[in-house]
Amino acid sequence: MTQEEILDSLPSHLRPFVKTQRYEDYTPRDQAVWRFVMKHLTRQLADTAHPVYLEGLRRTGIALDHIPSIEEMNDCLAELGWRAVVVDGFIPPAIFMEFQALRVLVIALDMRSVDHIFYTPAPDIVHESAGHAPFIIDIDYAEFLQRFGEVGMKAIATREDLEQYEAIRKLSILKECPDSTPDSIAAAEAELERLAVADNASPSEAALLTRLHWWTVEYGLVGDPEEYRIFGAGLLSSLGESTHCLDDARVRKLPLTVDAVLTPYDITREQPQLFVTKSCKHLSQVLEEFAESMCYRKGGAASLRTAIAAGSICTARYDSGMQVSGQFCEVLCDAVGNATYLRTSGPTQLAFKDTEIYGHGVDYHAEGFGSPIGHLKDFSRCLSEYTIDELKAHAIEIGKRVRLEYLSGITVDGVLKTVFRQDNRNLVLSFEDCRVSDLSGRVLFDPAWGSYDLAVGSAVTSVYGGVADREKLQLYKPTPRTETIRAVHNTQLMDCYTLVARLAAAGAAAGDDARDTLLAILEQHPDEWLLLSEMLAVADAPLHERIRTQLRNLGTRRPEIAGLIDLALAG
């Protein structure tokens, strides 16, 4: 499928996050970085990565000699039931999870810079393609990944979580941009540290689940703490950490349990400990163990209070199937802790089966929403289950004044105007001249406030992050406020990379004319270590030795790249 066809196949609310891969925008040096990273990664990982890794690269359209095009990847992924799209760096975690639930791999568009070959502070196409894609060929792992997305979509996030996401994104962009000033990076680091301290003190469901994702999908090991293989994408895509993580004296190896969510992480630094899973089945077991603790599984008043504390848009689903999406601000309970009334503030959506009920979107419920929860006195079933004739038998008839008395003591008294039914259920009862009050006499709705809409349900069975109908109400408008800063490249230097790559593709040592050209390049760019390493493949013996000497001298003068030069000299 083309990029356009895949974009058209996605839900409309996800499309703003998808970018177009303009393959010609990758510079010759980008391609050289890819070749260098993949050449040495596959060597390093041949005996340390899970055996699926190398086969997975081939079967998901990832070559070692060039940056993959998204079309190449999708031609291969289609055979596995997956797709891929490109995005600009970090995207909101909930959106990332939704893509994953749809079996869509999210691939960062940009290529890491030559200055961050060992470890990139921002997502890049090496990490997202060569890190995440290979294990899709393992059916058990692919199903775990999709299930993680489904669970992740339901996690309740706080307003602070979104602020932290923006701070991480901003810092990663600044660190990857060569024109960033030390002061701007320091300020971004300080802001992220401030938010991280608050997050670690009381992490949300979404934050805890993100940690589990980090310690499994991104930085996971498989086997046991004494004998393990690498499968986490962050390790598979890092020349530095793929070797650093093997040092048991520096990096502790812990058996994976659900307790991993108690361990925070720093996305911009190497990790001091890693967790080891026994198998893909073990991964799924840990995920489901965490899911059991989440509000979307538990429901009830406690889950509504979690949503209120989060201060973000969440959804409450009743046992009738009714869904209320908005920012919850209050839940009333009876003496034994059952939720009896819920309220939202601000724009609210009413939905059924994840589809907004006509006329009950955020424009209509712009000021908030409130409705009782529970059984009615003398009713043996939930009100949603009664037929229209049965309602009439209980004096509930359109056009007449109706009085509903809940077991909680809440009463609804007004003229019934409409009953919205779907799938043989009563879902919304709309009243005029309606008063809602509780046993203490508190007025929950006054006739002067307008029409009253009652969501029908006897219990809240699920509370989760986000909205029911994502096509009608989107959480992330606009898309991220920060955009990746792209450096201006030296055209003459890029031409040199192109020339050397062409000579290498020819497969023979350079002749006299080419040798003169290579000598000129060496004179013009004596400190461009990656270009010099590429020249080693095409230089004749005398020039080859001269380049090696130049690289060794560079390693001495610049200790920060000595490790890279050692790799280049090793061939």
Side-chain angles (χ1 to χ4, degrees):
M1 297 177 72
T2 65
Q3 294 184 73
E4 292 76 17
E5 289 172 332
I6 289 179
L7 182 65
D8 290 342
S9 73
L10 295 172
S12 61
H13 66 280
L14 295 181
R15 295 174 195 169
F17 296 92
V18 178
K19 304 300 180 183
T20 299
Q21 185 190 42
R22 291 169 44 86
Y23 197 83
E24 64 274 15
D25 287 349
Y26 296 116
T27 68
R29 182 161 62 180
D30 289 336
Q31 295 287 358
V33 170
W34 174 273
R35 288 191 293 271
F36 185 91
V37 170
M38 293 306 298
K39 173 184 177 180
H40 294 288
L41 271 177
T42 51
R43 286 184 180 179
Q44 288 181 187
L45 293 166
D47 297 320
T48 57
H50 190 284
V52 164
Y53 172 67
L54 294 178
E55 180 190 357
L57 288 175
R58 177 182 58 80
R59 289 181 56 189
T60 52
I62 300 167
L64 304 188
D65 62 351
H66 66 275
I67 297 171
S69 73
I70 201 67
E71 283 86 0
E72 282 180 295
M73 290 192 65
N74 275 314
D75 287 344
C76 296
L77 289 170
E79 298 180 8
L80 303 169
W82 284 71
R83 295 169 289 168
V85 296
V86 291
V87 299
D88 179 22
F90 287 111
I91 62 174
I95 295 296
F96 179 92
M97 290 294 179
E98 187 169 358
F99 274 115
Q100 197 164 285
L102 294 172
R103 297 170 71 92
V104 176
L105 282 180
V106 173
I107 309 294
L109 183 62
D110 290 309
M111 184 68 200
R112 67 187 62 183
S113 70
V114 68
D115 297 322
H116 293 132
I117 283 184
F118 264 132
Y119 181 86
T120 174
D124 81 326
I125 196 166
V126 174
H127 171 78
E128 305 291 354
S129 62
H132 282 291
F135 288 98
I136 295 296
I137 70 170
D138 185 302
I139 294 174
D140 290 337
Y141 181 81
E143 290 178 351
F144 160 74
L145 204 62
Q146 180 183 15
R147 179 61 182 151
F148 210 123
E150 292 170 348
V151 173
M153 286 176 62
K154 302 294 187 181
I156 294 177
T158 63
R159 285 177 294 184
E160 291 75 18
D161 288 332
L162 185 56
E163 290 179 6
Q164 188 174 32
Y165 151 71
E166 289 282 2
I168 289 172
R169 179 177 166 84
K170 180 179 180 179
L171 177 58
S172 71
I173 290 172
L174 288 173
K175 282 195 167 186
E176 184 62 24
C177 177
D179 298 326
S180 298
T181 65
D183 287 346
S184 66
I185 292 175
E189 287 177 330
E191 174 64 8
L192 179 57
E193 178 65 23
R194 180 186 69 80
L195 293 168
V197 168
D199 176 68
N200 291 338
S202 183
S204 67
E205 275 187 356
L208 293 174
L209 195 61
T210 299
R211 291 179 185 177
L212 186 59
H213 194 270
W214 182 264
W215 297 126
T216 56
V217 176
E218 295 290 353
Y219 278 77
L221 303 173
V222 60
D224 60 61
E226 288 72 42
E227 187 174 350
Y228 49 82
R229 294 291 190 97
I230 297 169
F231 78 91
L235 299 174
L236 293 174
S237 60
S238 172
L239 282 171
E241 285 209 271
S242 61
T243 54
H244 168 81
C245 75
L246 302 175
D247 187 341
D248 293 339
R250 297 172 59 191
V251 182
R252 291 181 299 142
K253 310 302 187 304
L254 305 172
L256 177 68
T257 70
V258 75
D259 289 349
V261 302
L262 300 177
T263 304
Y265 61 89
D266 185 338
I267 201 165
T268 64
R269 292 180 173 86
E270 294 181 335
Q271 309 306 314
Q273 77 286 304
L274 297 173
F275 296 87
V276 188
T277 182
K278 294 293 287 186
S279 63
C280 288
K281 181 178 181 180
H282 180 207
L283 287 174
S284 296
Q285 287 176 312
V286 172
L287 173 61
E288 294 302 333
E289 190 173 6
F290 181 81
E292 282 297 323
S293 72
M294 294 173 64
C295 293
Y296 92 94
R297 289 272 183 91
K298 296 190 299 183
S303 297
L304 284 168
R305 283 193 285 269
T306 297
I308 292 168
S312 58
I313 295 178
C314 297
T315 296
R317 188 182 69 225
Y318 290 38
D319 54 355
S320 63
M322 267 297 300
Q323 295 162 299
V324 178
S325 299
Q327 186 171 326
F328 292 91
C329 60
E330 184 178 21
V331 56
L332 304 182
C333 298
D334 60 22
V336 292
N338 296 314
T340 60
Y341 199 89
L342 60 76
R343 272 199 322 118
T344 66
S345 61
T348 302
Q349 174 195 79
L350 303 187
F352 180 68
K353 291 186 174 179
D354 296 332
T355 300
E356 184 176 286
I357 296 173
Y358 181 77
H360 289 281
V362 296
D363 292 335
Y364 182 71
H365 296 290
E367 302 301 321
F369 179 81
S371 188
I373 308 160
H375 286 286
L376 294 170
K377 294 177 182 178
D378 297 328
F379 281 66
S380 60
R381 312 190 306 276
C382 176
L383 182 62
S384 65
E385 300 175 9
Y386 284 71
T387 67
I388 293 296
D389 287 340
E390 287 176 318
L391 291 179
K392 288 181 180 178
H394 284 81
I396 300 174
E397 190 172 351
I398 293 174
K400 296 185 177 180
R401 180 162 289 277
V402 172
R403 181 178 176 86
L404 304 179
E405 297 184 356
Y406 284 79
L407 290 178
S408 63
I410 291 174
T411 60
V412 178
D413 190 315
V415 178
L416 181 62
K417 302 301 292 182
T418 61
V419 176
F420 176 80
R421 285 175 59 84
Q422 189 170 332
D423 288 6
N424 300 313
R425 301 180 188 186
N426 307 304
L427 297 176
V428 181
L429 274 61
S430 298
F431 296 86
E432 298 290 349
D433 188 27
C434 184
R435 178 180 298 274
V436 183
S437 57
D438 65 10
L439 274 178
S440 69
R442 176 186 172 184
V443 175
L444 300 171
F445 192 88
D446 188 275
W449 299 349
S451 300
Y452 181 72
D453 299 291
L454 182 150
V456 179
S458 59
V460 171
T461 58
S462 178
V463 180
Y464 55 88
V467 300
D469 189 336
R470 296 177 176 228
E471 296 299 294
K472 295 290 186 180
L473 177 58
Q474 297 179 30
L475 289 178
Y476 298 99
K477 281 185 174 180
T479 48
R481 298 189 294 267
T482 50
E483 291 189 0
T484 297
I485 305 167
R486 290 173 173 83
V488 177
H489 299 288
N490 181 323
T491 302
Q492 192 271 339
L493 175 61
M494 297 305 111
D495 289 342
C496 292
Y497 272 100
T498 298
L499 175 60
V500 173
R502 286 175 181 167
L503 290 171
D512 290 342
D513 291 344
R515 187 178 191 279
D516 291 342
T517 301
L518 292 173
L519 281 169
I521 291 173
L522 183 59
E523 293 294 331
Q524 294 164 359
H525 304 288
D527 294 338
E528 187 73 11
W529 72 266
L530 181 58
L531 180 58
L532 299 187
S533 70
E534 294 245 306
M535 288 167 61
L536 287 174
V538 296
D540 58 18
L543 181 55
H544 191 279
E545 188 52 40
R546 179 173 172 180
I547 294 171
R548 290 179 66 85
T549 300
Q550 178 67 13
L551 284 169
R552 284 192 289 266
N553 291 339
L554 270 175
T556 301
R557 296 201 319 270
R558 297 176 57 192
E560 73 276 10
I561 63 170
L564 292 169
I565 288 176
D566 288 343
L567 287 176
L569 292 173

